Amino acid sequence: MIDISQKSVVYREAVAYGRIKLRRSTIEAIRKGLVEKGDPLLVASIAGIQAAKMTPQLLPMCHPIELTNVDVKCFIEDEDHVACRARVKAIARTGVEMEALTAVSVALLNVWDMVKKLEKDERGLYPETAIEKIIVEEKVKKEG
Amino acid sequence: MIDISQKSVVYREAVAYGRIKLRRSTIEAIRKGLVEKGDPLLVASIAGIQAAKMTPQLLPMCHPIELTNVDVKCFIEDEDHVACRARVKAIARTGVEMEALTAVSVALLNVWDMVKKLEKDERGLYPETAIEKIIVEEKVKKEG
Amino acid sequence: MIDISQKSVVYREAVAYGRIKLRRSTIEAIRKGLVEKGDPLLVASIAGIQAAKMTPQLLPMCHPIELTNVDVKCFIEDEDHVACRARVKAIARTGVEMEALTAVSVALLNVWDMVKKLEKDERGLYPETAIEKIIVEEKVKKEG
Amino acid sequence: MIDISQKSVVYREAVAYGRIKLRRSTIEAIRKGLVEKGDPLLVASIAGIQAAKMTPQLLPMCHPIELTNVDVKCFIEDEDHVACRARVKAIARTGVEMEALTAVSVALLNVWDMVKKLEKDERGLYPETAIEKIIVEEKVKKEG
Amino acid sequence: MIDISQKSVVYREAVAYGRIKLRRSTIEAIRKGLVEKGDPLLVASIAGIQAAKMTPQLLPMCHPIELTNVDVKCFIEDEDHVACRARVKAIARTGVEMEALTAVSVALLNVWDMVKKLEKDERGLYPETAIEKIIVEEKVKKEG
Amino acid sequence: MIDISQKSVVYREAVAYGRIKLRRSTIEAIRKGLVEKGDPLLVASIAGIQAAKMTPQLLPMCHPIELTNVDVKCFIEDEDHVACRARVKAIARTGVEMEALTAVSVALLNVWDMVKKLEKDERGLYPETAIEKIIVEEKVKKEG
């Protein structure tokens, strides 16, 4: 773990993005509200917020931080993809991109979990499902 | 949450795979053991195992399961990528692919966290870093 | 903690119910989807499911159990109340009523948290808000 | 989650109260120290303190806060009720009433869990047991 | 993590023991019930039970197990020591000695935490306090 | 829990130390990298860092603190012992010695867990294994 004792407390913000490739029929089912387990986009958003707060438990080298805001939006990006974008804020000694990335990763896992039944083939495998891309889109660091 | 009360307890196994795109210089630093925070592959493997056990906390619709084995391997795949593969086993009423996917996702987040310093540009952004692909590779379901 | 080593593994089910008194205007806002933070009934349901799984961490004398189903429904009961009902199932050596009660309690706390702004008076207090009643409604114990 | 980045850090305090209806014979057993599993008032108080610290994990929209004090008192209120009162303090950007309410709720669940055996009827149900009332009693917000 | 998928489910029991060296005046204060923060023996016992259930989160290579009983006793052993003994039981594929050792270790840490004020010297150090010994005393493995 | 609301926020540091007695053959196996489950010193260090962050969950009377650094080193001390030393830092209202002690305790438990197979006798007991000593070595408190 990096020693951040001497770093100054400043405003931090980070935005991460990620997406999952799904079957068109699954995207259609989400759009029409036909997923048996509930609305994947909503469950994923809430689970993503929770995950951001669990980052220091998931990443051994991550510092515990009092996040001042976590916002996670999951949405149908196009006919093949659901995407998630997480914005995390804190007044802290270190950046919050890992929290944003964790929120996105866990949100996407939840999308997958919610539509498992629709994505499985007859062997129980997921020939078309893939979390395709998780990146950091933006970072802000502003002295008081 | 799906009701699995009536499902039979059988042997389950699942393998998930994922990879992260890193700078060649970062891959080189990992290979040579020059990453300041420690060995990313090792920390990621251990964190991945821990994450598999935290799956029901991260995925609201996931059932708590007594996993009988979690194995996470992180390795340099080629000069541009570190990959992780997680194999999870259980004697349970439901499959363990979400546990394997969670292990891989969190392992990859830890790789990123460990090499942040080497991947950042002057604005603190990560122009080249991306978790590129997370999939289920294999599933086994064997009646006792 | 009670020693349940000698108890037999049987099918268990428990239903708990609880309700929260809110302002009529708040109930109206929920009904119309006007709560700024999101849909309180939905967030509460998901948080209730998560809480059921955390019961052994919240109750020191509670045994860890592999729950096979948790179902939490939050709904507008009448013009003054939101109610939650949780049904929990397991094949286990001990009953699951504490898991159901925990799910309901935490779901109701989440309803409160989601509508804080609408329930506060000018001093920041909640003169009308109260979790009024949490009970066990039903229990099933069925030999295999 | 509300964005509290711009809110000022001030002293916060909140007091929550709740009570559980029990059989008179159970209250008597608690008073005489005859509850087999241990002292329900004490276990409940400790579990309530722990719960206050777990609030951000239980309530998705709650911010993580460095609490400076949690005090939980559980006591026999009258011949039919055990009551709990929780006082929570923090120097923070947001109020701590949800932490106090969570402490009280979980403390009361623990009282129930500790006296289950004394409250159950022959079908394993709890015809007389009920968490009856959980409210916020007091809030303080003091500029430094 | 060892693969225990092929191991048979049998009755397991383990007992761990540990002790902490304290000042005689502290032992005296515990005996007389004069510790300001509450009864260290009681708080330590409850925290020890909780810790046993958290073992898989604390030890990466430990399997999650449905413990059927955790019993932790903390007691004044002699005029210089408080001791803790934890007995853990499960019907499981692997032994429970790590759970018993974790319960004892965390119980002893809680004893320390509860009497910090009485053990500190003027520099805030603990010249006499030491957790002296943690061992496994007993193990049982019984085919059904 | 002690009320620390009025305490000033200052730089804090604490160092804890502990050691475990192992068989010489086990120490030799660790030195030669022959432990089947992986490198005990490394896994123990990472688990110790994680444990420091979990201190408020393990110790009911402990305050949640934003740690600015946790450093855990596990090493072969002599032919009979593995030792761990943890240094914890924070800018906080209360000391961090419990966090350092928790890190050391859990690190030592992990060393034990990693070498179980090498330390067990034919009855599955550990006649020679013992966590022998856990102490606070150093504390710093520095006004800003």
Side-chain angles (χ1 to χ4, degrees), chain D residues 11 25 31 45 47 49 52 55 63 75-76 78 84-85 90 92 108 110 126 128 132-133:
Chain D
Y11 176 77
S25 52
R31 198 190 305 274
S45 304
I49 293 174
T55 305
H63 303 82
F75 53 95
I76 296 175
D78 57 39
C84 294
R85 184 167 278 118
L108 293 171
N110 272 281
Y126 303 86
E128 295 162 66
E132 272 186 5
K133 188 189 181 180

Side-chain angles (χ1 to χ4, degrees), chain C residues 52-118:
Chain C
K53 294 189 273 184
M54 292 176 71
T55 306
Q57 283 170 262
L58 295 169
L59 308 195
M61 302 306 155
C62 239
H63 303 82
I65 291 181
E66 285 192 357
L67 306 176
T68 51
N69 189 231
V70 182
D71 181 65
V72 181
K73 289 208 186 340
C74 298
F75 51 95
I76 296 174
E77 190 177 62
D78 59 37
E79 55 191 353
D80 297 309
H81 297 94
V82 164
C84 294
R85 184 168 279 119
R87 184 177 297 271
V88 177
K89 302 175 184 175
I91 323 286
R93 285 183 173 80
T94 185
V96 290
E97 63 265 42
M98 292 318 303
E99 282 77 3
L101 287 164
T102 301
V104 163
S105 300
V106 172
L108 293 171
L109 287 170
N110 272 281
V111 173
W112 194 323
D113 184 47
M114 295 292 288
V115 300
K116 275 192 319 196
K117 205 177 163 181
L118 302 169

Side-chain angles (χ1 to χ4, degrees), chain B residues 23-35 40 115 118:
Chain B
R23 288 177 175 172
R24 292 191 174 188
S25 52
T26 303
I27 299 281
E28 207 47 32
I30 296 173
R31 198 190 306 273
K32 292 186 177 153
L34 298 176
V35 178
V115 301
L118 303 169

Side-chain angles (χ1 to χ4, degrees), chain B residues 4-69:
Chain B
I4 58 168
S5 308
Q6 305 311 322
K7 289 196 167 183
S8 58
V9 178
V10 299
Y11 176 77
R12 314 274 189 166
E13 197 177 316
V15 180
Y17 160 93
R19 72 182 193 188
I20 183 169
K21 166 90 176 56
L22 299 174
R23 288 177 175 172
R24 292 191 174 188
S25 52
T26 303
I27 299 281
E28 207 47 32
I30 296 173
R31 198 190 306 273
K32 292 186 177 153
L34 298 176
V35 178
E36 197 187 359
K37 283 169 116 176
D39 180 355
L41 306 182
L42 220 129
V43 173
S45 303
I46 296 168
I49 293 174
Q50 287 299 71
K53 295 189 273 183
M54 294 175 71
T55 306
Q57 284 171 262
L58 295 169
L59 308 196
M61 302 306 156
C62 238
H63 303 82
I65 291 182
E66 286 192 355
L67 306 177
T68 53
N69 189 232

